[in-house]
Amino acid sequence: MDIRQLRHFAAVAETLHFGRAAELLGMTQPPLSQSIQALERELGAPLFARTKRSVALTPFGAAWLAPVKAALAGVDALPDLARRLRQGEAGRLELSFISTADYSILPSLVRRYAALYPDVEITLVEATSDVQIAALLDGRGHAGVIIPPADSALPAPLAYRRLVSEPLIAALPETWLETGRIRLEAGRLPPAAVIASPLIVFPRRVAPAFYDLVLDYYTARGGHAHVAQEAIQMQTIISLVSAGMGMALVPASLRHLARTGVRYVDLQEGAPALETGLVWRRDDTEPTLARLIEVAIQTPADRDAVRPVLPPPATPARRS
């Protein structure tokens, strides 16, 4: 059987009249009758009970009509689906992200993208920047939200778009403030108190740009960081702070990660700025990726602590 036969059957089933069905189909009645007969022979059962005065669906024909209509509707929808796939309005998008982005740009980015393109299936995977970059270079995934390398150099196959920049703040155990171990000045943490405190930080191997940004703060003030503990998840770092194992310098958007026993405090001076952006393969022609880039350019972070950076709309050049 073919699609034409299914359309012939549906037309006769709807009109219960071969003549009117033939008119609707733009054909004469004899070829329509022959098509239905051939279809019935292929199915091995009659679809219509015919008399000289009437045409009626057989029980078999009536039961077969609904799935035929569904099949035809699916076929009729294929051209529009193809158009939406070509334009990135349907399909799949694989997006990875660092844990810090979950408190800054990621929620607003995903929310806006999903609202504009509800028929795109979005797969979200949390991973460190180094893992994301390696995956993209290996041809896996479409894009990632990362902290770029400190020297702004990414492998040539990758393109990058800066999205947000936010200051670092201190995450402190509340007990340190309550017992006077740490004293604030005008509600801010002075550099001497930062240098004197044990530090909890990402390992350099998984977040070199973040690690160096934090340690450069100490070096610029003539001190050295005493790294008490390393952890690769921001939630784990905050938990360790809550346990009193040390303090951490974290993105300002982490204020929205409430944790008992943790106090977020601004630095008194020279707070480093952490950049977060979108990375993807230059040769990836997936339409859903193109739509994501468009949305990313136009989506500010929805956290007060984050300063959005909206680059010019031109196609991004490779960072060097």
Side-chain angles (χ1 to χ4, degrees), residues 224-292:
H224 298 281
H226 168 52
V227 178
Q229 186 70 41
E230 294 182 341
I232 64 172
Q233 296 289 335
M234 186 56 71
Q235 295 89 336
T236 304
I237 289 176
I238 298 302
S239 293
L240 293 173
V241 171
S242 176
M245 296 186 65
M247 61 155 288
L249 296 183
V250 301
S253 55
L254 259 289
R255 292 183 188 276
H256 302 277
L257 174 56
R259 186 63 56 87
T260 301
V262 176
R263 180 88 61 85
Y264 296 103
V265 178
D266 289 334
L267 299 178
Q268 189 179 60
E269 63 177 53
L274 180 69
E275 179 180 319
T276 302
L278 188 71
V279 64
W280 66 95
R281 287 184 301 277
R282 294 179 180 279
D283 62 356
D284 192 336
T285 59
E286 174 60 46
T288 55
L289 171 61
R291 295 292 171 261
L292 174 68

Side-chain angles (χ1 to χ4, degrees), residues 112-251:
R112 189 163 188 269
Y113 182 89
L116 290 171
Y117 307 110
D119 293 332
V120 174
E121 177 187 351
I122 305 173
T123 300
L124 295 173
V125 178
E126 183 178 336
T128 54
S129 297
D130 61 324
V131 171
Q132 294 186 58
I133 290 171
L136 287 169
L137 291 174
D138 196 37
R140 292 178 284 118
H142 294 122
V145 180
I146 67 166
I147 298 171
D151 58 5
S152 299
L154 284 168
L158 301 181
Y160 175 82
R161 172 77 69 170
R162 183 172 58 162
L163 297 178
V164 297
S165 179
E166 56 182 317
L168 297 187
I169 60 174
L172 301 171
E174 278 192 335
T175 54
W176 289 11
L177 296 168
E178 293 168 353
T179 61
R181 176 173 174 175
I182 289 287
R183 296 186 182 278
L184 304 181
E185 296 180 6
R188 295 174 178 264
L189 188 65
V194 177
I195 294 172
S197 302
L199 176 68
I200 304 170
V201 68
F202 281 107
R204 192 180 191 282
R205 69 180 187 279
V206 301
F210 195 178
Y211 185 94
D212 291 346
L213 185 69
V214 170
L215 266 66
D216 285 350
Y217 176 85
Y218 290 78
T219 302
R221 285 150 186 82
H224 298 281
H226 168 52
V227 178
Q229 186 70 41
E230 294 182 341
I232 64 172
Q233 296 289 335
M234 186 56 71
Q235 295 89 336
T236 304
I237 289 176
I238 298 302
S239 293
L240 293 173
V241 171
S242 176
M245 296 186 65
M247 61 155 288
L249 296 183
V250 301

